[in-house]
Amino acid sequence: MSERADLTIRPIEAGDAAEWRRLWTGYLEYYQTSVSEEVYETSFARLLRGGDGEFRGLLALSDDGPVGLVHYLFHRHMWRVENTCYLQDLYAAPEARGTGVGRALIEAVYADADAEGCPSVFWLTQEFNHDARQLYDRIGTLTPFIRYNRRPA
């Protein structure tokens, strides 16, 4: 799955809670946001369930331990029979950036999507995320879609 001999990509397991939290907190801080303790607990429990319609999560492990994570979800799409895959969160620890961790995690999601018969994988990123976009431009296709959110009531 990975070009790096010292990198292993595997599903998140129950014993990974502390390291997953550390990495996901880093991801959230990068985007200048945070979540409640309830969201941490609920999200981790969902990752462990692994059933249809639940998020899946993978960790990237180097010789030094966990250095990245990805969360993704398979869901129905009205324009095709097959599911589509939404890659929601991708994070490489600062010390691991530029070493192939992000690519390996995306390729692992691609492999899972292929195994599920799901040809479509998509994700969003912030316009200012220039470093990650250099990778995304090599491994994906930029689309013209613009995202809108519901206005607060």
Side-chain angles (χ1 to χ4, degrees), residues 122-142:
F122 72 99
W123 61 93
L124 306 169
T125 194
Q126 297 268 347
E127 188 175 12
F128 67 77
N129 195 358
H130 302 291
D131 290 341
R133 290 183 64 194
Q134 290 179 25
L135 168 63
Y136 302 160
D137 287 343
R138 290 190 306 271
I139 200 166
T141 301
L142 179 64

Side-chain angles (χ1 to χ4, degrees), residues 98-114:
T99 67
V101 170
R103 175 183 282 274
L105 286 164
I106 292 171
E107 288 176 348
V109 172
Y110 285 175
D112 199 14
D114 290 345

